[in-house]
Each structure stands twice: as structure tokens, then as C-alpha cells.
């Protein structure tokens, strides 16, 4: 018996009957020989971690563009926090941690540079529109490695359904959708306080009385509510969920859409970068490297440009803009 087979047997013995088992996966688009030491979900997790798209997350904005402090979140640290929260919930419910982790690590691979502002701009200017969850699926299906990662159905489903109206088919995918909200609601408050946009006292008492008045207390409350509320499905206790969503709306009103003049100015600059790059690339597609053009598997310049820009880190987008739009000094 191989190590993989022993792990699959362990899943059958230990996991809840509602858990997704790797041995019962709906499989991959392209059939592959099984690994001797890893289950299919473990294999997917490893492919995501070793992908270039995953490494680029370390230089992609979460909320604050180009923060100078070392302790602000990036898209990568957000992803790791989601994975930690999701695994805690999955373990407590005896669901498949490996599947949960793979989905969490891949859920934001398609996110743009410059955070949600970058997503909004691409959605406005691209004829096909743009949603980061759909682009994350496109990354793992098509763009990464010149042909995609050929992940299992369950991981792909969890990635594309981590946000939006459609819920994932697996409980593990639904855990990631909840963990994503828990992570960003809490760490965006933490970063906003660090950046001087908020203080702990600004958080409405109606939410802090329910969730707690410290970062760690709020996360603890939300995770426990997701565990205790999930008897038949992944559902938070109603009073905690309502408070979390109220706090989320508070962030939209006071941070995401109501930033101070200095932050708004930086967002305007980032918006100009994305719009400028997109226009230039669509009109001169040869400015995009040949391998990136080929990876898109399409002749539509707008999609090729969208894929290329969405995959950029913040510093790379700035560097390409400078290369194409900023004159260089020269010496006779």
C-alpha cells in the first residue's frame, strides 16, 4: 500500500461523512497518474504554492497601495491568514484540511495589482468585464505554466466560488468563503488603525460589544461562531454574522470608499497606470512578451492585455509604466 493510499484510508476513517474525500474527487480535466505519496488535494496545494502566480502575491496590494511599513498586509499575507483560519474551522468540523488549504491558497491568484481599485478599473475598461475570482480560475486553468495547473474539480470550484452569489459544492469551499471575510474584515481594521485612518474607539459599539474590542478577540469570536453554527452547512451564528457584516459595511464607508486625500491621490495614480498600460497594450500587443501572449490562448488583444496586467505585481506595473510613458535622460 502506498503512502497516498494510507492517507486516503485515513480520510475515510477520520473525516466527517460530509467531508470531501480525495479518493472520491471528480478528477482533473486532463487525466494524470496518481502520486505515490500525496493525495490529489495535497498535490493541488503544492502546485499552487510552487506557482509563479502565488509568489507574485507578495508584491500585490491588499488595501493600502505601496505602504512603507513592514507590517501592512499584502495579498500574500492575506492569503496565508485565510488559509490558517480556514484550516482551523475545517479541522474542528472534521472536514478535509488539505482541500480547504488548497482552495484558500489559490483563491486570490487572479487578483490585480493595486488591490480592489485595480479590479474595479479592469472591470470598467475590459469589454468582457473582470472579476478576480474568475481570473483566479483562469490562472490555474490556462495561464500558469503555459497550460494551467490541471487542478481537481473541487479546488477549482472552491476558488471561483469563494466570493459572489454561487456557493461552492463542497463544505470545504464554503469554509474558505467565510474565512476570507473573517480575515479581511479583521486585518483591514488592523491596517487602517496602523495607517491612521481609524482608531479602535471609532469602531461602533454595537459591533465591538458582540465581536470584541481587540484584533485577536474578534477573530476568535468569528471563528468559534463559524464552527458552532455549522451543523449541516457552513453558517456562522446569526448575531455574530450580522455584526461581522455590519463591521464590513463600516469598513466600506470609512476605509475602502472614503479614504483621506493622500490615499485617494495614490489610488488615482494607480488607476492611471492600469488605464495607460491597458490602452497601450491593446493598441500594440507586441509590447507584451510573446510567452505571455501565448499563455492567454486567444487572439483577442483585450483579453491578452487583461491577463498580462492582472498578473502584474505593483512594482512591475509601475516599472512597465515608466518604461512606456516616462522619458529617460540621456547623455551626449
Amino acid at each position: 500500500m502506498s503512502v497516498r493510499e494510507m492517507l486516503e484510508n485515513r480520510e475515510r476513517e477520520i473525516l466527517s461523512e460530509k467531508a470531501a474525500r480525495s479518493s472520491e474527487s471528480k478528477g482533473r480535466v486532463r487525466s494524470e497518474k496518481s502520486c505515490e505519496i500525496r493525495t490529489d488535494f495535497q498535490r493541488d496545494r503544492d502546485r499552487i504554492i510552487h506557482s509563479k502566480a502565488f509568489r507574485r502575491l507578495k508584491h500585490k496590494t491588499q488595501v493600502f497601495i505601496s505602504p512603507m511599513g513592514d507590517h501592512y498586509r499584502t495579498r500574500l499575507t492575506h492569503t496565508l491568514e485565510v488559509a490558517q483560519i480556514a484550516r482551523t474551522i475545517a479541522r474542528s468540523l472534521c472536514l478535509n484540511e488539505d482541500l480547504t488549504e488548497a482552495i484558500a491558497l489559490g483563491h486570490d491568484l487572479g487578483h490585480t495589482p493595486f488591490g480592489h481599485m485595480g479590479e474595479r478599473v479592469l472591470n470598467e475598461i475590459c469589454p468582457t468585464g473582470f472579476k478576480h475570482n474568475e481570473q483566479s480560475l483562469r490562472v490555474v486553468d490556462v495561464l500558469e505554466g503555459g497550460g494551467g495547473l490541471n487542478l481537481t474539480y473541487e479546488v477549482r470550484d472552491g476558488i471561483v466560488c469563494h466570493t459572489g452569489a454561487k456557493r461552492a459544492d463542497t463544505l470545504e469551499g464554503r469554509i474558505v468563503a467565510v474565512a476570507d471575510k473573517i480575515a479581511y474584515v479583521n486585518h483591514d481594521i488592523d491596517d487602517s488603525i496602523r495607517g491612521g485612518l481609524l482608531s479602535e474607539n471609532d469602531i461602533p459599539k454595537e459591533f465591538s460589544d458582540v465581536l470584541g474590542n481587540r484584533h485577536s478577540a474578534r477573530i476568535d469570536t468569528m471563528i468559534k461562531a463559524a464552527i458552532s453554527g455549522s451543523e449541516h452547512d457552513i453558517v456562522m451564528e446569526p448575531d455574530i454574522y450580522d455584526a461581522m457584516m455590519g463591521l464590513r459595511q463600516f469598513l466600506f464607508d470609512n476605509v475602502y470608499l472614503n479614504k483621506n486625500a493622500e490615499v485617494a491621490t495614490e489610488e488615482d495614480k494607480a488607476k492611471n497606470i492600469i488605464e495607460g498600460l491597458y490602452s497601450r497594450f491593446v493598441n500594440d500587443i507586441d509590447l507584451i512578451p510573446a510567452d505571455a501572449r501565448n499563455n492567454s490562448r486567444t487572439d483577442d488583444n483585450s483579453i491578452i492585455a487583461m491577463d498580462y496586467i492582472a498578473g502584474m505585481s505593483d512594482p512591475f506595473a509601475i516599472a512597465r509604466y515608466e518604461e512606456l510613458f516616462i522619458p529617460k535622460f540621456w547623455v551626449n
Side-chain angles (χ1 to χ4, degrees):
M1 181 179 294
S2 68
V3 174
R4 171 185 53 78
E5 290 170 329
M6 287 191 291
L7 293 173
E8 290 172 345
N9 284 340
R10 190 179 301 168
E11 287 182 351
R12 285 188 281 268
E13 294 169 358
I14 295 176
L15 296 185
S16 163
E17 63 179 13
K18 301 171 186 175
R21 288 168 171 77
S22 56
S23 60
E24 299 171 6
S25 169
K26 293 183 180 180
R28 308 178 188 277
V29 174
R30 300 184 299 277
S31 180
E32 296 182 11
K33 182 180 178 181
S34 297
C35 177
E36 293 184 1
I37 61 174
R38 296 171 297 169
T39 68
D40 282 349
F41 298 151
Q42 290 174 335
R43 202 174 188 185
D44 285 358
R45 175 202 59 203
D46 294 351
R47 288 179 180 182
I48 291 168
I49 288 176
H50 290 286
S51 69
K52 290 187 293 184
F54 184 78
R55 295 196 294 275
R56 289 196 298 268
L57 295 178
K58 67 181 176 180
H59 291 305
K60 289 195 177 193
T61 289
Q62 175 62 25
V63 172
F64 294 97
I65 296 173
S66 302
M68 294 303 293
D70 290 336
H71 301 136
Y72 289 95
R73 271 73 173 189
T74 66
R75 190 62 57 180
L76 178 60
T77 59
H78 161 73
T79 294
L80 296 177
E81 291 186 34
V82 172
Q84 177 270 317
I85 292 169
R87 285 199 64 154
T88 298
I89 297 171
R91 183 181 298 121
S92 298
L93 297 174
C94 292
L95 297 176
N96 197 311
E97 288 184 58
D98 293 326
L99 172 58
T100 305
E101 184 179 30
I103 296 169
L105 293 175
H107 83 283
D108 268 356
L109 291 179
H111 225 301
T112 62
F114 310 122
H116 288 286
M117 185 283 301
E119 180 176 21
R120 289 195 299 271
V121 174
L122 279 183
N123 187 49
E124 292 169 2
I125 63 180
C126 296
T128 57
F130 182 90
K131 294 181 179 179
H132 77 269
N133 58 317
E134 295 175 358
Q135 189 68 13
S136 294
L137 182 63
R138 182 164 169 77
V139 168
V140 300
D141 278 356
V142 179
L143 300 176
E144 181 64 34
L149 299 177
N150 197 31
L151 304 182
T152 58
Y153 169 85
E154 291 78 9
V155 173
R156 296 171 58 251
D157 171 72
I159 286 173
V160 77
C161 293
H162 82 269
T163 188
K166 187 177 184 301
R167 302 188 78 200
D169 288 348
T170 65
L171 295 181
E172 289 82 358
R174 297 176 188 183
I175 285 174
V176 173
V178 171
D180 187 36
K181 290 184 178 67
I182 293 173
Y184 73 67
V185 164
N186 283 288
H187 65 50
D188 289 355
I189 290 174
D190 192 41
D191 281 356
S192 297
I193 292 173
R194 179 173 289 106
L197 295 182
L198 294 176
S199 72
E200 190 67 54
N201 292 331
D202 291 326
I203 298 174
K205 197 169 186 296
E206 61 184 297
F207 305 139
S208 59
D209 283 350
V210 175
L211 301 173
N213 56 11
R214 290 180 297 111
H215 177 72
S216 59
R218 284 188 288 267
I219 291 180
D220 186 65
T221 298
M222 292 180 191
I223 290 175
K224 288 178 178 176
I227 294 168
S228 59
S230 298
E231 182 177 356
H232 303 294
D233 197 355
I234 306 304
V235 181
M236 293 182 77
E237 294 175 0
D239 58 331
I240 305 301
Y241 178 80
D242 290 344
M244 180 183 75
M245 296 306 287
L247 194 53
R248 178 178 180 269
Q249 186 59 50
F250 170 79
L251 283 169
F252 269 96
D253 295 338
N254 293 275
V255 177
Y256 304 147
L257 302 179
N258 188 28
K259 295 173 181 173
N260 63 28
E262 183 178 354
V263 173
T265 298
E266 295 307 303
E267 286 205 344
D268 285 343
K269 294 176 184 177
K271 181 175 183 287
N272 290 336
I273 289 174
I274 290 180
E275 290 177 339
L277 289 175
Y278 181 82
S279 176
R280 191 69 182 272
F281 291 146
V282 167
N283 289 297
D284 189 356
I285 203 67
D286 289 337
L287 290 172
I288 296 177
D291 58 345
R293 299 198 305 269
N294 294 335
N295 283 349
S296 288
R297 300 290 195 270
T298 180
D299 294 327
D300 188 329
N301 286 3
S302 65
I303 294 178
I304 297 171
M306 179 188 72
D307 286 339
Y308 186 52
I309 293 169
M312 292 179 176
S313 65
D314 294 23
F316 186 76
I318 293 169
R320 286 245 58 188
Y321 186 87
E322 290 179 344
E323 174 192 348
L324 296 173
F325 292 98
I326 307 300
K328 293 182 174 62
F329 292 104
W330 59 277
V331 178
N332 192 337

